[in-house]
Amino acid sequence: MNNRKILVTNDDGIDGAGLKSLVEKLSAVGGVDVYVLAPDSNRSAVSSLLTMTEPMKFVRRRDKGERWFSCSGSPVDCVIAALCSTLFGESVKFDAVFSGINKGANLGTDIVYSGTCAAARQSVLYDIPGIAVSVESYDGTWKFDDVADFCAKNLDRLISLCRSGSSEKSSCDLFVSVNASSSDNHKDAVFTSLSARDYCDRISILNDPNENADVFYGFFRGGQIKSNVRDRRSPLDFDVSFGGGISVTRVFAEPTAFDDSGSIF
């Protein structure tokens, strides 16, 4: 029986500590071969950015392993290249994609902007299970191993959650977003719904230092994030992860239209 092949990517970059921890834990699972294709530097908050008009550069990182490659593009570029090219060889067909472990939460509205979640979503669009994994630090320390261990121990279950149908032959239509706090010991994992995030962002507009009256510069100013209730059918992802548990949220990969009917035009 052939080993299952798992692709690991992220948006923090190939040297990210969270990615390293996840690869180590998944590689220890019997019958699993792990491959890595991740951005060559940080690509946080790029969402589903695609590189379409210029070539991408791939570099084998032998300092990390024969199956490690960096990519000059985005997390989504990494997934497309791994699933739709011969970079890893003609015979490599992936069974799942894990994205992370991200340094920073991807809760609620975050998934719209997250490169980590976009990579998992892209995998599901190709009918391959995609799992995004993120950790938030509330005290300035970053610990990834316990969450990585959770993913390794529950590999089959997480993969199965990418199908809304009960059959193993059902198409993948959901990606899984796992969130937790930075900790050596988490409470039980629970299914969660998405919170709504108000970022309180603003852009500061400054005049051109060269005194050109028609030129201005804008600087992004992040605000204090507020998490609000969107859906109370299950606990909120924010509440669970902030409370020391592991939040597991299943999200439809395809945009879903509101169920209107009839003619209004």
Side-chain angles (χ1 to χ4, degrees):
M1 184 175 179
N2 294 330
N3 285 355
R4 287 174 295 173
K5 294 174 173 55
I6 306 295
L7 174 71
V8 178
T9 189
N10 70 352
D11 72 1
D12 287 337
I14 195 166
D15 295 310
L19 181 143
K20 179 176 181 291
S21 177
L22 185 58
V23 169
E24 288 177 350
K25 296 294 185 179
L26 292 177
S27 297
V29 177
V32 169
D33 293 332
V34 176
Y35 297 74
V36 179
L37 178 55
D40 55 16
S41 59
N42 192 294
R43 300 288 193 280
S44 294
V46 298
S47 189
S48 292
L49 177 71
L50 288 170
T51 302
M52 300 177 66
T53 59
E54 59 187 50
M56 288 181 284
K57 181 180 180 180
F58 303 97
V59 177
R60 191 192 305 272
R61 290 291 300 269
R62 295 186 186 275
D63 58 315
K64 295 179 178 293
E66 288 296 309
R67 296 173 178 162
W68 285 65
F69 280 83
S70 67
C71 171
S72 62
S74 69
V76 163
D77 289 328
C78 292
V79 172
I80 295 174
L83 301 185
C84 303
S85 80
T86 58
L87 182 66
F88 290 108
E90 291 277 2
S91 63
V92 177
K93 306 298 180 184
F94 289 100
D95 298 290
V97 172
F98 275 76
S99 182
I101 298 172
N102 190 62
K103 189 175 183 180
N106 281 305
L107 302 163
T109 318
D110 297 344
I111 67 174
V112 174
Y113 309 101
S114 166
T116 302
C117 291
R121 181 190 299 112
Q122 187 66 39
S123 178
V124 171
L125 294 178
Y126 287 129
D127 201 23
I128 302 296
I131 297 94
V133 191
S134 307
V135 160
E136 182 61 86
S137 175
Y138 299 104
D139 62 5
T141 62
W142 293 96
K143 299 177 180 179
F144 302 102
D145 286 351
D146 193 62
V147 175
D149 194 49
F150 166 80
C151 292
K153 289 179 177 178
N154 296 280
L155 177 62
D156 292 337
R157 177 62 171 149
L158 290 171
I159 288 174
S160 73
L161 292 176
C162 294
R163 296 179 174 88
S164 60
S166 58
S167 170
E168 291 185 2
K169 296 182 179 180
S170 300
S171 296
C172 290
D173 53 356
L174 306 164
F175 73 90
V176 177
S177 180
V178 177
N179 279 274
S181 61
S182 173
S183 174
D184 290 323
N185 186 21
H186 294 89
K187 300 177 184 177
D188 291 343
V190 298
F191 285 116
T192 57
S193 57
L194 296 172
S195 55
R197 307 272 269 174
D198 180 357
Y199 301 102
C200 302
D201 296 329
R202 63 188 180 89
I203 302 292
S204 294
I205 302 297
L206 302 180
N207 294 327
D208 177 33
N210 295 321
E211 299 184 353
N212 185 330
D214 296 321
V215 176
F216 302 87
Y217 291 87
F219 293 86
F220 180 82
R221 309 294 187 191
Q224 181 67 41
I225 298 175
K226 300 176 182 177
S227 291
N228 303 308
V229 174
R230 171 185 284 151
D231 186 346
R232 273 296 185 189
R233 288 175 297 176
S234 57
L236 290 178
D237 51 7
F238 173 81
D239 292 337
V240 170
S241 61
F242 184 79
I246 296 178
S247 162
V248 179
T249 312
R250 301 203 293 168
V251 184
F252 282 104
E254 291 280 4
T256 302
F258 187 79
D259 188 17
D260 278 317
S261 60
S263 176
I264 61 172
F265 297 103

